[in-house]
Amino acid sequence: MLLGAIACVLVGAAPAAAAPRAVITGGPPGSTPDSAATFAFAASEPAILPSFECRLDGAVWVACSSPRRLDGLGGGGHRFEVRLTGPLADPTPDARDWTVELQTVATPGAPASPSGPTLPPALNPPPVAPVLGDGTCADGGARPGQVSSGALARAVLCLLNHERRLRGLGPLRQSAALTVAARRHASDMVRRRYFAHVSPAGETLGDRAARTGYLRGASGWSLGEVLAWTDRARATPRTAVRELMHSTPHRQIILTAAFRDVGISVIGHAPLAGVRRGATFVADFGRVG
């Protein structure tokens, strides 16, 4: 005789699989001097015929595939976004923010000490000479010791603005913050005997500008830097600017229309061991929004 029975049936559903979405798996670091960037991305979960759309800095979405290379990026902050399209697509994009520090370096071909490193010659001489004719720039032919460092920096600014004016570009205005950044970097290169945009401790142009407060509160910004050193015989603002203008990448920085501010430092010493008689020039360009 059946007195009783218990039957238990568990009814449930398997956990729903996570919806696939686009995930960025590779890209540039947070700050880089490179004007090109390559991003790798994939679907987070298996997806049927996955396809992707990408956009840069809020532009229109375009079909893309991994890896995605971006060229010709301007200085300042950028955002890359990618989203999954097609069946079971997740419209939520993945994003990566990074900063391009627009930089370059000028080596005017001054002879290095046999005991010190050898610098390469001036970069990419242009097919035609740049436009010069700076007779109105006071102290353009002066050397360190003949006039003050401030007078030499003002002469460099006058010469740079002369080059920009001849090409219909707006003048650069002196920035106290960028001047501090340029002066600190010039002094550091001379003191520690190196010639580079990045210090031996890894400090970049962006770091130096941020430390002076130039980037404080900016919603967007762009920076550029040119460096030069010369021997004693050629240690004048006119010679330094002429050498920079004869190098394509440096000329592009100087003639970048977007730049509005500049900080300039001229120190009456070369940055290499055993080469004391000369000059080191630093010009830091910027614009903040």
Side-chain angles (χ1 to χ4, degrees), residues 96-111:
R96 177 76 60 87
D97 295 311
W98 83 108
T99 298
V100 175
E101 294 181 359
L102 191 61
Q103 302 180 31
T104 187
V105 60
T107 55

Side-chain angles (χ1 to χ4, degrees), residues 31-89:
S31 180
T32 174
D34 292 336
S35 61
T38 300
F39 288 90
F41 46 87
S44 61
E45 305 291 338
I48 301 173
L49 300 176
S51 57
F52 300 90
E53 289 182 336
C54 302
R55 71 176 179 180
L56 175 67
D57 297 335
V60 298
W61 291 97
V62 295
C64 61
S65 59
S66 180
R68 176 74 168 181
R69 180 177 172 84
L70 307 170
D71 293 295
L73 299 169
H78 295 282
R79 165 167 282 210
F80 174 78
E81 296 174 275
V82 59
R83 66 186 182 186
L84 192 65
T85 61
L88 300 179

Side-chain angles (χ1 to χ4, degrees), residues 145-192:
Q146 295 178 331
V147 298
S148 68
S149 295
L152 294 173
R154 287 190 292 274
V156 172
L157 176 58
C158 177
L159 293 163
L160 294 178
N161 277 335
H162 176 76
E163 294 292 335
R164 289 172 65 91
R165 184 171 59 252
L166 289 174
R167 295 161 177 84
L169 301 175
L172 300 164
R173 61 195 177 196
Q174 185 174 2
S175 162
L178 290 179
T179 298
V180 171
R183 185 182 303 124
R184 287 174 176 171
H185 192 46
S187 299
D188 190 57
M189 288 191 294
V190 169
R191 179 174 60 87
R192 294 204 277 178

Side-chain angles (χ1 to χ4, degrees), residues 3 49 128 226:
L3 299 178
L49 300 176
V128 294
V226 294

Side-chain angles (χ1 to χ4, degrees), residues 104-124:
T104 187
V105 60
T107 55
S113 164
S115 60
T118 300
L119 295 181
L123 304 176
N124 301 323

